[in-house]
Amino acid sequence: MTNENTQALSDAGVSIWLDDLSRELLETGAIAELVKERNVVGLTSNPSIFQAAMSKGDRYNADLERLTKEGKDVDEVVFELTTSDVREACDLFMPTYESSGGVDGRVSIEVDPRLAHDTDGTVEQAKKMYDTVGRENVLIKIPATKAGLPAIAATIGAGISVNVTLIFSLDRYRAVMNAYLEGLETAHADGKDLSKIHSVASFFVSRVDTEIDKRLDAIGTDEATALKSKAGLANARLAYQAFEEVFSTSRWSTLEAAGANKQRPLWASTGVKDPALPDTLYVTELVAPQVVNTMPGKTLDAVSDHGDVHGDTVTGTYEESSKVLDDLDAVGVSYSEVVDLLEDEGVDKFEKAWGELLDGVRAEMDKATTPA
C-alpha cells in the first residue's frame, strides 16, 4: 500500500525524489519499492553519494577489474561506473517519466566537481554525460557558481535538461533562473523543442541553519537565540516567492507559449543536522505546489513514519520570512557572508568526496592488476 504521509505530500504538489543511488539499491529492488510504496518519482546523486556507494561492498568489483584490464585510467573508470548506474536508474524511472510528461522520473548526475569554476569544461562534460547516459530522463547537475551560470545557459541552449545545484542565496537563485531563461531563448532560436527541456534549481536548506545557528550561539543574546533554526526555512520560502515572480513575467509567458517548462525549485539538504529539531522539519514546512523535495533515505523514513503534512506551508509566509533575515542582520549575522561561505564549502566538500572516490577506485584497480 502507498504510505499515507508521502501520498499527502504528493497530493499537495510536492514531487518526492530520493537523494541516494548505489548498485545495492538498484539490484535489491529497494528503489523500485520506494516508487511503489512511498511516492518516490525521481532520484538525485552527487559525488559524496557515489563515494559512499563504491566504498562499501563488492558490487563494483567485476566491472572495476574489467575496465582496468581494458587499460582505462581512473577518471575513465569512475565516469563509466557512475554513468552506468545512472542509466540503470533512468530505465527504472522511465515509466514515471513518460506518465508525467517528462516532469518527474528524473535521475541526476553531477559534472566533475573539479570543473566548478570552469565554464567551458563544464559544458563539454555535460554534453558528454548526456550522450553517454543516453536517456532522455537524465538531468545533468551543474553547480550554481559564477562560472556555472553561463554553463547552465549553454547546456540548456543545447537542449539538455539540467539540475542546478549548490544554490544558497536568493540573488544567485535569481541569476540561475535568468540563465535558464537565456538557455531556453537560445534553444528556441535554434529551433529546438522547448517542451523536451526541463530543469530544477536545487536550493539548499539545512546547511544554512547549521552555519547561522553556530553564529547565533556565538553571539549568545536572547535575540540571537530566538532566531535559531529559522533561517533555512525563511530563505527557502523567499526563494519560492522569487520563483513565483520570475515565472509570471512577460518574458516567461513568451517562452511558455512556445512550449517551455518552468524550472521547478528543488529543496536539497533536507536532512536535519540538529537532533533537537523535528526530523521532518525541512519537508513538512516546505510544502508548496510545483516543488521537488529530494530526501536522504533517513528523512524519507521519518516522513513516512510520522510526517504531518498540513497543506501549503510556504505561500503567505514571505513577510515573516523577510523579517527573519532582517532580524539576523540586526543581531550581527551577515547573510551574504554566510551564503558565500556555504557555496565555497559545498564545492570543496564535493571535490574532497570526488578525490576520495578516485583514491578508492584507484586502490581497487591496483588490486586488479596485482598478481595473486
Side-chain angles (χ1 to χ4, degrees):
M1 289 180 61
T2 303
N3 180 274
E4 61 180 3
N5 295 337
T6 57
Q7 184 63 53
L9 203 56
S10 179
D11 290 343
V14 178
S15 291
I16 301 170
W17 291 5
L18 177 69
D19 192 29
D20 200 3
L21 177 60
S22 68
R23 286 203 178 165
E24 181 179 2
L25 290 173
L26 288 166
E27 293 175 357
T28 60
I31 295 175
E33 187 175 318
L34 294 176
V35 171
K36 183 178 178 182
E37 298 181 0
R38 296 193 180 179
N39 300 84
V40 170
V41 292
L43 181 149
T44 51
S45 67
N46 62 44
S48 298
I49 285 171
F50 279 126
Q51 189 275 327
M54 293 188 194
S55 66
K56 58 184 180 183
D58 56 5
R59 294 177 187 270
Y60 294 91
N61 289 4
D63 281 346
L64 274 166
E65 184 173 350
R66 172 180 60 81
L67 292 167
T68 302
K69 288 178 178 177
E70 288 175 4
K72 306 280 189 183
D73 65 29
V74 67
D75 287 289
E76 291 171 324
V77 169
V78 168
F79 184 86
E80 183 151 341
L81 293 176
T82 54
T83 53
S84 175
D85 280 6
V86 167
R87 186 183 305 112
E88 187 174 342
C90 282
D91 289 342
L92 189 156
F93 279 103
M94 189 59 74
T96 304
Y97 170 77
E98 292 172 344
S99 64
S100 68
V103 174
D104 286 312
R106 295 284 178 171
V107 180
S108 297
I109 182 170
E110 188 158 346
V111 296
D112 186 331
R114 295 171 296 183
L115 298 171
H117 304 295
D118 179 350
T119 301
D120 293 341
T122 294
V123 175
E124 182 182 350
Q125 194 181 56
K127 291 177 178 178
K128 182 181 178 184
M129 279 184 158
Y130 179 77
D131 291 341
T132 302
V133 173
R135 300 293 186 271
E136 264 193 12
N137 55 329
V138 70
L139 286 176
I140 307 301
K141 281 179 91 171
I142 297 175
T145 56
K146 288 179 181 176
L149 294 172
I152 293 158
T155 304
I156 292 291
I160 297 172
S161 296
V162 172
N163 175 345
V164 183
T165 189
L166 288 178
I167 308 172
F168 296 96
S169 83
L170 295 167
D171 284 347
R172 186 58 57 83
Y173 177 43
R174 286 185 180 275
V176 164
M177 289 188 282
N178 182 65
Y180 176 60
L181 298 182
E182 280 185 13
L184 288 176
E185 287 160 349
T186 298
H188 186 47
D190 288 347
K192 290 184 170 60
D193 182 358
L194 298 191
S195 70
K196 292 286 190 179
I197 304 172
H198 286 258
S199 183
V200 293
S202 297
F203 204 86
F204 281 52
V205 187
S206 67
R207 293 190 201 180
V208 174
D209 273 339
T210 300
E211 180 60 33
I212 286 182
D213 286 0
K214 182 171 66 177
R215 295 175 183 227
L216 291 171
D217 281 337
I219 294 167
T221 63
D222 290 344
E223 292 81 3
T225 301
L227 290 167
K228 284 190 66 178
S229 307
K230 292 183 177 180
L233 291 178
N235 200 35
R237 288 165 171 170
L238 291 172
Y240 191 82
Q241 180 186 33
F243 160 74
E244 289 184 311
E245 290 173 358
V246 169
F247 290 98
S248 61
T249 60
S250 58
R251 182 186 183 191
W252 165 247
S253 297
T254 300
L255 289 164
E256 186 175 37
N261 302 288
K262 291 179 181 177
Q263 182 187 55
R264 293 188 294 165
L266 179 151
W267 310 132
S269 182
T270 56
V272 172
K273 307 292 193 292
D274 183 348
L277 296 175
D279 53 4
T280 62
L281 180 70
Y282 301 123
V283 178
T284 61
E285 298 309 309
L286 289 174
V287 175
Q290 302 181 85
V291 303
V292 180
N293 195 310
T294 188
M295 309 177 204
K298 187 177 178 181
T299 302
L300 180 58
D301 287 344
V303 171
S304 302
D305 181 64
H306 53 265
D308 177 19
V309 180
H310 44 280
D312 186 337
T313 49
V314 175
T315 56
T317 65
Y318 307 141
E319 186 176 342
E320 172 192 342
S321 298
S322 292
K323 186 175 186 303
V324 169
L325 298 192
D326 289 342
D327 290 346
L328 286 168
D329 183 64
V331 299
V333 174
S334 168
Y335 175 84
S336 60
E337 186 180 297
V338 166
V339 294
D340 286 349
L341 174 68
L342 289 173
E343 180 183 308
D344 290 342
E345 286 183 346
V347 172
D348 288 346
K349 178 182 177 183
F350 283 164
E351 277 194 22
K352 181 181 177 184
W354 198 253
E356 291 172 354
L357 172 59
L358 293 175
D359 288 345
V361 169
R362 193 179 288 111
E364 291 301 320
M365 291 171 69
D366 289 344
K367 289 181 189 176
T369 55
T370 301

